[in-house]
Amino acid sequence: MWCWCCNKKEMASNTSLLSEDQFLCPICLDTFTRPVSTPCGHNFCITCLTSYWDNEPICQCPVCKETFERRPNLKVNTFISELASQFMLLHATDAHIWSPDQVKADGGAVLCDICGDIQQAAVKSCVECLTSYCSVHLEPHHRAAGLKRHKLVEPLANLEDRVCKEHNHLLASFCKNDKALLCDICASSLHVNHDVVPAQRAHREMKDLLADTEARVQQMIQERQQKVQATKESVKQSKRETKDVIANSVRDLTALVSEIQRSQAELVKGMEERQKAAEEQAGGFISSVEQELAELQRTAMKMRELRQTEDQLHFLLDFPKASLLPPTMDLSTFIFNRNLEIQHVEKCLSSSVSQLRMLLVKMNTEINTSSASNDAMLTYLQRYEVNVLLDPDTAHPLLILSNDRKQVRYSMGASLWRIQNLNPNMFTEHLAVLGQRGFSSHKFYFEVFVSQKTEWCLGVATASVQRRGALVRSRHSGLWAIWFLEDKFETFSSPGKTVYLGKVERVGVFVDYHGGEISFYDVQTAALIYSFTECVFTEELYPYLNPCDNEYGSNLDPMVIVPVSRTA
């Protein structure tokens, strides 16, 4: 056991012969934390060496490459551990174990705690006494036998906060598992299997994490400011357009008979109500985002204040244990598309006055329903239609493809030849098939006719999606799909969570690769079934069709890739 005794000056001179490099682990290049020795005589942190051997096919020394037939039974080398600890204590100031608030708040040196009216600068701090001494009051520690065994370090302010209250050793390590500061004895006894690192490394890593999170908060603030500004501009523009449409409508309709006058009143009322509703919706959204902005700005200020804290102890104690980010809404869920409806109304009113009587009923119906903007959106997406052919090499043995490779259906009897000659690209458990062509840029769209099928799954998958065995239903599976079961929809990645109710006959699939979005539409009603947003794609995406079996009743109808109908 290392003993602090006798001649302090001789001790300091002896330790000056040692360099910090002698106490660095060859793997992590930091001061030893619970060091162990290999049979060949080299020293490492126990966690570093264990992790190294876990990732290597053979057990060998990382330094000299000597191979061991059996993994050595590692035990902490207490001598090296104590030596490294005492070396860190002697060099506490130079090594920056605790940083610059070793000085008083007024910027002066650490003062002697014993001096009376005129306090002198301290030359040493005693870990046992938890007191700082000037050269005069330190003298008993050099003379008295009992005091000679006390541990002296460079002057430290708030010494009692930097020393383990149980073992009177300097708090020089940090446990990542328990988020706690430790002395060397705590680390080697109570936190044996925990991830323990030097305090300065923990400070550096957590400060980097705080900086990254603060940058993310700033980005979120900027995104929300831009979204609010864009929404305000859209509201202003839609308000101007609404006024223009109302004025034009009034001008044309007032020239007609009572039928037209009635339509005029209904048009003005409907447009104003929808504009008011749109403004209220936008106002509610703006209010919510502005509240988020205020919260994010407060969070950013707190993070900035915390990041400027140089006292590692206070920094680590004050570091939030919960999530650094406050809860926020998904900005992509709000789209102010009032202009589409306004353009639709204006198009109707520009028609020939001579045809107005025949169009009045249709016009009022379209104005008073919400399908207009949905129709316009779906029509826009259909411009990105691509030709999809199915790849027979990927089809499950129980699936039958049509000759034109546009249809796929489930067959209760598998082809013996296909079972005996399984293709490595073939799905073996999921009744699925991929498209022959993959897409890795821009936008694309295709439609699938599902008729009255009782169960099916449709979407897009990566080229590396698992083909052999069961595919785990999670957001990391490489498959973005909706699953229809009898009368409801759920996503492949969230089993049991209903996202849409009702049956559909024709489904449109739209993918914005760079925008990270995949959306599914009921083509007949132009209604959105579900959207995956904020996705990150790193591979080509292939259309994915799964006609499923007869678990929910007769389900032998095919899934058919059909061309887009643009009769509207």
Side-chain angles (χ1 to χ4, degrees), residues 26 153 177 198 242 331 339 372 380 431 466 473 519:
V153 297
N177 300 78
T242 298
L331 298 181
N339 60 311
Y380 168 77
L431 297 172
Q466 183 178 336
R473 297 184 66 174
S519 298

Side-chain angles (χ1 to χ4, degrees), residues 388 390 433-435 437-439 444 446 459-461 541-545:
V388 174
L390 300 177
V433 61
L434 296 180
R437 175 188 173 191
F439 302 88
F444 64 94
F446 62 95
V460 294
L541 299 179
Y542 292 79
Y544 171 96
L545 281 71

Side-chain angles (χ1 to χ4, degrees), residues 444-563:
F444 64 94
Y445 175 92
F446 62 95
E447 291 184 1
V448 178
F449 182 73
V450 294
S451 184
Q452 298 297 318
K453 291 179 65 62
T454 56
E455 183 186 9
W456 48 266
C457 187
L458 175 65
V460 294
T462 60
S464 63
V465 68
Q466 183 178 336
R467 316 284 179 88
R468 300 282 175 170
L471 183 58
V472 179
R473 297 184 66 174
S474 74
R475 58 190 182 92
H476 302 296
S477 64
L479 173 61
W480 296 264
I482 54 173
W483 200 312
F484 175 74
L485 303 101
E486 295 188 285
D487 61 354
K488 62 184 179 181
F489 289 83
E490 61 186 45
T491 64
F492 179 83
S493 57
S494 300
K497 182 180 179 181
T498 301
V499 297
Y500 191 81
L501 291 173
K503 291 187 175 182
V504 300
E505 290 188 354
R506 189 178 181 126
V507 182
V509 183
F510 172 73
V511 178
D512 182 353
Y513 192 95
H514 293 305
E517 175 188 347
I518 303 172
S519 298
F520 301 86
Y521 289 87
D522 178 353
V523 177
Q524 274 66 38
T525 63
L528 176 65
I529 299 174
Y530 187 79
S531 281
F532 295 95
T533 59
E534 297 185 359
C535 304
V536 178
F537 307 124
T538 58
E539 302 179 50
E540 288 188 333
L541 299 179
Y542 292 79
Y544 171 96
L545 281 71
N546 184 336
C548 299
D549 55 18
N550 293 328
E551 180 180 357
Y552 295 94
S554 179
N555 193 36
L556 299 179
D557 289 340
M559 297 177 73
V560 185
I561 301 170
V562 292

Side-chain angles (χ1 to χ4, degrees), residues 27 38 50 67 82 197 213 247 287 329 373 378 418 481 490 530:
I27 297 178
T38 60
T50 302
T67 302
E82 186 70 14
V197 298
T213 307
S287 177
M329 69 176 69
S373 60
L378 185 59
R418 283 175 60 81
E490 61 186 45
Y530 187 79

Side-chain angles (χ1 to χ4, degrees), residues 36-39 46 49 53 59 68 70-76:
V36 294
S37 300
T38 60
I46 187 171
L49 186 57
W53 281 345
C59 186
F68 313 115
R70 295 182 179 179
R71 180 181 289 199
N73 184 20
L74 301 175
K75 294 185 179 180
V76 175

